[in-house]
Amino acid sequence: MTAPSPHAAGPLFAAVDIGGTKIAGALVDSAGTLAHRIQLPTPARESAAEVLAVVHRVLDHLAAAPRWGGVTAVGLGSAGPVDLARGTVSPVNIPGWREFPLTAEVAAHPAVGARPVALAGDGVAMAAAEHWRGAARGADNALCLVVSTGVGAGLVLDGAVRPGPSGNAGHLGHITVDLDGEPCPCGSRGCLEGVASGTAIARRALARGWRPAGDDRSARAVAEDAKDGHPVALAAFDRAAQALAAGIAATTTLVDLRRVVIGGGVAAAGPVLFEPLARHLDRYAALPYVRGLDVRRAELGADAGLIGAAALCR
Ligand SMILES: [Zn+2]
């Protein structure tokens, strides 16, 4: 056993964040500081065993750290859906993993030993991170969203992150905001994600005649043109903001909360998203207890998944 370094106060956690494009790992101390980081591409189209092999490489790297002996628990954040009761994950964008026993496979890694392994979906992990160290700090009730290629979210209620029985509470991307809308890969239709994700913003802009100046056809390029006043680009962000406002208003009205934290690549567009969002929230969040919601930008960026995975070990 290697003793924890003397400057590391409190427990040390190993965190692994599994997404459709990257698998990241780090050691996280009780101040939320990341060390001994690693990030590898996700072989998302490969077999279950090949994806797991990358997770094991991340664990190998973490276990080689001098401070590994001080690690008290392993936290896993994964693209969802997840099943906490069974310790399985079925990430939509990793087809090889369906009801994949992630918790058991990580616990079986030789270096993990008897350490407990905690699992969460990525939206819940982000909410845990922002509640611990970010823009939801100090809020007893908050909705934390990630708006990027998809739309995920997690809920803080009565002072704690609430994953729900299966671990998927706050799955805001798949509530219906358009009653007769497009079919969604989840099986429903008119889902928020199908209107407000970065993918949806770019698709809508392209369908209405927006053409990028360069090779980038993503929502990031749409955002740049929107900042320059391009009407189709502005309209695509306005539509996404309208859908987000409807989803946020529904959630805050349902569970009675005022703090809303928004992160992810689409949120990085800044005022192009947040200005129409405020306007639409003013229309949809109508009852007195949800008027004037406290909407904030997320503070932890791409590290939220790792910090959240560690937060769940606490
Ligand atoms: Zn859906």
Side-chain angles (χ1 to χ4, degrees):
M1 290 273 288
T2 308
S5 69
H7 57 268
L12 185 66
F13 307 115
V16 181
D17 179 24
I18 300 164
T21 57
K22 65 176 173 60
I23 297 175
L27 300 184
V28 185
D29 68 19
S30 55
T33 308
L34 304 184
H36 211 70
R37 304 172 65 136
I38 181 172
Q39 182 171 313
L40 298 171
T42 307
R45 299 285 142 192
E46 306 302 326
S47 70
E50 284 169 274
V51 182
L52 178 63
V54 176
V55 174
H56 277 196
R57 280 171 57 202
V58 168
L59 289 167
D60 292 342
H61 172 86
L62 298 180
R67 292 164 72 194
W68 177 258
V71 169
T72 55
V74 179
L76 307 171
S78 173
V82 301
D83 183 336
L84 288 196
R86 300 170 60 216
T88 60
V89 302
S90 307
V92 175
N93 44 15
I94 306 178
W97 278 9
R98 286 295 171 268
E99 301 187 6
F100 183 77
L102 181 62
T103 302
E105 292 288 1
V106 166
H109 187 281
V112 172
R115 292 175 178 86
V117 178
L119 171 66
D122 48 8
V124 171
M126 180 270 192
E130 292 290 336
H131 187 230
W132 185 28
R133 291 284 158 196
R137 200 172 180 176
D140 280 342
N141 298 278
L143 167 66
C144 299
L145 296 92
V146 181
V147 187
S148 60
T149 50
V151 176
L155 286 164
V156 177
L157 298 175
D158 297 330
V161 175
R162 305 292 178 184
S166 73
N168 299 288
H171 218 126
L172 195 59
H174 296 282
I175 67 164
T176 297
V177 294
D178 183 356
L179 296 184
D180 300 308
E182 297 290 316
C184 178
C186 79
S188 184
R189 59 171 58 235
C191 288
L192 174 58
E193 181 169 293
V195 184
S197 70
T199 316
I201 290 169
R203 189 176 58 232
R204 186 176 180 90
L206 285 163
R208 282 166 169 68
W210 170 77
R211 292 294 177 268
D215 292 336
D216 185 1
R217 296 160 65 88
S218 72
R220 188 192 334 230
V222 181
E224 287 306 312
D225 282 355
K227 286 171 193 167
D228 291 337
H230 191 297
V232 176
L234 280 168
F237 267 88
D238 187 84
R239 178 70 173 169
Q242 185 179 9
L244 282 171
I248 291 167
T251 307
T252 56
T253 303
L254 185 70
V255 297
D256 190 3
L257 60 81
R258 305 190 57 79
R259 178 87 61 96
V260 179
V261 174
I262 307 179
V266 172
V272 164
L273 179 73
F274 283 86
E275 283 177 5
L277 178 64
R279 198 159 23 81
H280 290 297
L281 276 174
D282 196 47
R283 293 172 55 213
Y284 292 134
L287 289 170
Y289 65 94
V290 289
R291 295 296 297 164
L293 292 171
D294 180 3
V295 179
R296 303 186 183 193
R297 292 272 293 272
E299 293 177 0
L300 302 175
D303 290 339
L306 287 170
I307 295 171
L312 294 156
C313 298
R314 292 163 66 232

